Amino acid sequence: MYKIAFDDFFNYSFSLDSVIFGFRNGEINVLLIKRALEPFKNMWAIPGDLVYPDEDLSNAAERILFELTKLNNVELHQAQTFGHPKRHPQGRVITSAYFALVRIEEFHVEASSWAEEVKWVPVHEVPELAFDHNLILNSTFELLKKKLTYEPICFDLLPKRFTLNEMQQLFEYAFGVEMDKANFRKKIRPIPLISHDEKQMNVKHRPAKLFSFNSESYEELTAKESYQFKM
Amino acid sequence: MYKIAFDDFFNYSFSLDSVIFGFRNGEINVLLIKRALEPFKNMWAIPGDLVYPDEDLSNAAERILFELTKLNNVELHQAQTFGHPKRHPQGRVITSAYFALVRIEEFHVEASSWAEEVKWVPVHEVPELAFDHNLILNSTFELLKKKLTYEPICFDLLPKRFTLNEMQQLFEYAFGVEMDKANFRKKIRPIPLISHDEKQMNVKHRPAKLFSFNSESYEELTAKESYQFKM
DNA sequence: GCAAAAGTGTTTGGATTACACCCATGC
DNA sequence: GCATGGGTGTAATCCAAACACTTTTGC
């Protein structure tokens, strides 16, 4: 058992990678950036940055998300932490993954100083990434799948007003299964949704009704009763 | 948006806290140490240490567990990472929590150089701890509870050979509920258990049969079929 | 009318629940 | 015999899966 003076340990760096998920065309997408700087210049990567000395981890995650998307007030979820001694070529950098769920339609992303280019890629079609980012992405997507089953976070990915079929497609894509329409609707019956009079537009078939998540009613349910969201 | 030279960021320290859970007398216990050193000298804490420069996080977690218990080959589970800028009085120390599940009966713990004293405490009776360790413990216990429902890790806490009642007590303590004996047994029927001829000893009532987890059979089930452990 | 997808009802079998009862052991 | 938990069966109910059917829109 070796001992080193406490001060000699202040030799590490700590970064944070923000996996940003969105939903589009029935597919869960992830936001990738093309690195403008070495190392791994010109490779696709998950947006991330070093954590500043005065920042809590969640603040850093919020900052990174804001710099890239100008979005505020997005709930962030901590995922796994990765610290292999050789994972960063320039030193000992330990990184925590966070993920955010956003509505792709509600904003557009611009490349920033640390990225030349930015794009959305369906999770199941992600190319080889810089660093250990494929590992990070996969483990974070697994966590997303788990949280989708016991927290109502699918509604952070869906448009504010969505059709039940869009909701079904989200789960079908995430879990790689096909579901029965009638049974899916029965299953989500306990989830508090607001049914709007509004209908889908510009479709060449019967337009679907639009729904939104009733978060007030959800809060009441979880607070008072023995209700538990479940998919 | 401020920028700092990359090198100025190698100023952090990284530690790891190992929450060690055990099961005894129908209660899930956690191993606490009494700190021998400042800061928080003489307060109870979760065992932890700085991560050495050549260690992966999981190696550090294994080392800490081994130093304290001499146990090897225990599966470690990563939990949350905590990095509030002020969480450590002596500098910027970010910490990841890991948890391990052990059989209390199979070894005994000795205090090490960094702890004067060591004790097992039922999770629901933990006193005020050093640093943000209550926060760490609570979030880690929540994760344990989740994993108990979808992975067969209860068998890492139970004795190698256990009674069905012990197993039931574990879940009852974890989730704070009472369960019906007959229904519990029906629920666990899909879990591959080996039923031994052996019986409980030294009890003043009808002795219970002993069971053990059939991990080979479990591996086959998860590999081939669409089996999913569930509690 | 036809294609395409929206939307709903019925049947069936398996799981969950509540509850009752019998069994084996120590004292 | 009796106290204590071990161990099991039954009936009612709920839930999920499979599947069929009707409705509404665009063209």
Side-chain angles (χ1 to χ4, degrees):
Chain A
M1 179 173 166
Y2 70 95
K3 284 280 176 195
I4 296 182
F6 190 77
D7 284 350
D8 291 341
F9 273 99
F10 281 84
N11 228 342
Y12 295 70
S13 188
F14 196 82
S15 73
L16 201 143
D17 292 303
S18 282
V19 183
I20 302 167
F21 290 110
F23 182 66
R24 183 169 66 178
N25 306 327
E27 295 172 319
I28 298 177
N29 283 245
V30 59
L31 192 63
L32 298 179
I33 62 164
K34 194 178 216 167
R35 287 180 61 82
L37 301 168
E38 293 292 352
F40 297 102
K41 188 172 171 181
N42 291 327
M43 275 191 87
W44 292 99
I46 295 165
D49 197 5
L50 295 169
V51 174
Y52 294 156
D54 53 353
E55 278 181 326
D56 196 357
L57 305 186
S58 54
N59 296 131
E62 282 166 23
R63 172 175 56 79
I64 292 169
L65 182 67
F66 182 78
E67 286 174 3
L68 202 61
T69 64
K70 308 294 174 218
L71 286 178
N72 261 325
N73 299 322
V74 173
E75 202 188 333
L76 286 150
H77 304 257
Q78 195 188 83
Q80 259 196 269
T81 298
F82 296 83
H84 193 280
K86 298 269 152 60
R87 64 172 295 282
H88 197 296
Q90 289 169 288
R92 186 73 198 265
V93 181
I94 290 157
T95 197
S96 278
Y98 272 74
F99 72 87
L101 306 176
V102 303
R103 298 189 179 90
I104 295 188
E105 321 78 41
E106 290 186 7
F107 64 99
H108 59 269
V109 189
E110 278 161 57
S112 69
S113 61
W114 29 278
E116 277 174 4
E117 221 184 305
V118 157
K119 68 171 174 181
W120 288 103
V121 182
V123 171
H124 295 144
E125 297 161 29
V126 167
E128 199 198 332
L129 303 177
F131 304 102
D132 50 359
H133 283 189
N134 288 98
L135 187 64
I136 294 177
L137 175 56
N138 291 338
S139 94
T140 303
F141 185 58
E142 288 304 314
L143 182 63
L144 168 63
K145 291 203 291 187
K146 257 171 211 150
K147 287 207 176 181
L148 279 171
T149 68
Y150 58 81
E151 287 179 33
I153 57 174
C154 55
F155 306 112
D156 297 333
L157 283 169
L158 290 165
K160 280 251 173 60
R161 296 190 170 200
F162 54 86
T163 69
L164 298 184
N165 192 41
E166 287 173 322
M167 182 173 170
Q168 185 178 336
Q169 281 174 17
L170 196 162
F171 284 94
E172 288 183 333
Y173 186 84
F175 298 103
V177 292
E178 300 221 325
M179 296 171 172
D180 180 275
K181 201 190 348 163
N183 293 339
F184 181 81
R185 282 153 197 245
K186 267 173 261 174
K187 188 175 189 167
I188 66 170
R189 216 134 50 190
I191 304 172
L193 298 181
I194 300 167
S195 161
H196 297 279
D197 283 335
E198 212 176 330
K199 300 215 163 159
Q200 228 177 0
M201 304 265 285
N202 302 320
V203 284
K204 53 176 177 290
H205 55 263
R206 174 175 174 181
K209 264 191 113 168
L210 293 178
F211 291 82
S212 62
F213 179 54
N214 192 339
S215 50
E216 292 77 29
S217 163
Y218 173 76
E219 296 302 335
E220 283 174 31
L221 281 169
T222 43
K224 279 188 274 184
E225 294 168 56
S226 60
Y227 171 82
Q228 174 59 47
F229 178 93
K230 194 173 152 286
M231 281 299 297
Chain B
M1 177 175 165
Y2 71 96
K3 285 279 175 196
I4 296 182
F6 189 77
D7 283 350
D8 291 342
F9 272 100
F10 282 85
N11 234 340
Y12 296 69
S13 188
F14 195 83
S15 74
L16 201 143
D17 292 303
S18 283
V19 182
I20 302 168
F21 291 110
F23 182 68
R24 186 169 63 178
N25 305 328
E27 295 172 319
I28 298 176
N29 283 246
V30 60
L31 192 62
L32 297 179
I33 61 164
K34 195 176 215 168
R35 287 180 61 82
L37 302 169
E38 294 291 351
F40 296 101
K41 187 171 172 180
N42 291 327
M43 274 193 89
W44 292 99
I46 295 164
D49 197 7
L50 295 168
V51 174
Y52 293 157
D54 54 351
E55 277 181 327
D56 196 356
L57 305 186
S58 54
N59 295 349
E62 282 166 24
R63 172 175 56 79
I64 292 169
L65 182 67
F66 182 76
E67 285 174 3
L68 202 62
T69 65
K70 307 295 173 218
L71 286 177
N72 261 325
N73 300 322
V74 173
E75 203 189 333
L76 287 151
H77 304 255
Q78 195 187 84
Q80 259 195 270
T81 298
F82 297 82
H84 192 280
K86 299 269 152 62
R87 67 172 291 283
H88 198 296
Q90 288 169 287
R92 185 73 198 266
V93 180
I94 290 157
T95 196
S96 279
Y98 272 74
F99 73 87
L101 305 177
V102 303
R103 297 190 181 88
I104 295 188
E105 321 78 40
E106 291 187 7
F107 64 98
H108 60 269
V109 189
E110 278 161 57
S112 69
S113 60
W114 29 276
E116 276 175 6
E117 220 182 308
V118 157
K119 68 172 173 181
W120 288 104
V121 181
V123 170
H124 296 144
E125 297 161 28
V126 168
E128 197 197 334
L129 303 176
F131 304 101
D132 50 0
H133 283 189
N134 288 97
L135 188 63
I136 294 177
L137 175 57
N138 291 339
S139 94
T140 303
F141 185 57
E142 289 303 315
L143 182 63
L144 168 63
K145 291 202 292 185
K146 259 174 208 146
K147 286 208 175 180
L148 280 171
T149 66
Y150 58 81
E151 286 179 32
I153 57 174
C154 55
F155 306 112
D156 296 333
L157 284 170
L158 290 165
K160 280 251 171 61
R161 299 192 168 198
F162 53 87
T163 69
L164 297 184
N165 192 39
E166 287 173 321
M167 182 173 170
Q168 183 178 337
Q169 282 174 17
L170 195 161
F171 284 94
E172 289 182 332
Y173 185 84
F175 299 103
V177 293
E178 301 222 324
M179 296 170 173
D180 180 276
K181 199 192 347 167
N183 295 338
F184 181 81
R185 283 154 196 243
K186 267 173 261 173
K187 187 176 189 167
I188 66 170
R189 213 128 59 183
I191 303 173
L193 297 180
I194 299 167
S195 160
H196 298 278
D197 282 336
E198 212 176 329
K199 301 214 163 159
Q200 230 178 357
M201 304 264 287
N202 303 320
V203 285
K204 54 176 177 290
H205 55 262
R206 174 174 172 182
K209 262 191 115 169
L210 293 178
F211 291 81
S212 62
F213 178 54
N214 192 338
S215 50
E216 292 76 30
S217 162
Y218 172 77
E219 296 301 334
E220 283 173 33
L221 281 169
T222 42
K224 279 187 274 185
E225 294 167 56
S226 59
Y227 171 81
Q228 175 59 46
F229 178 93
K230 192 172 152 288
M231 280 300 297

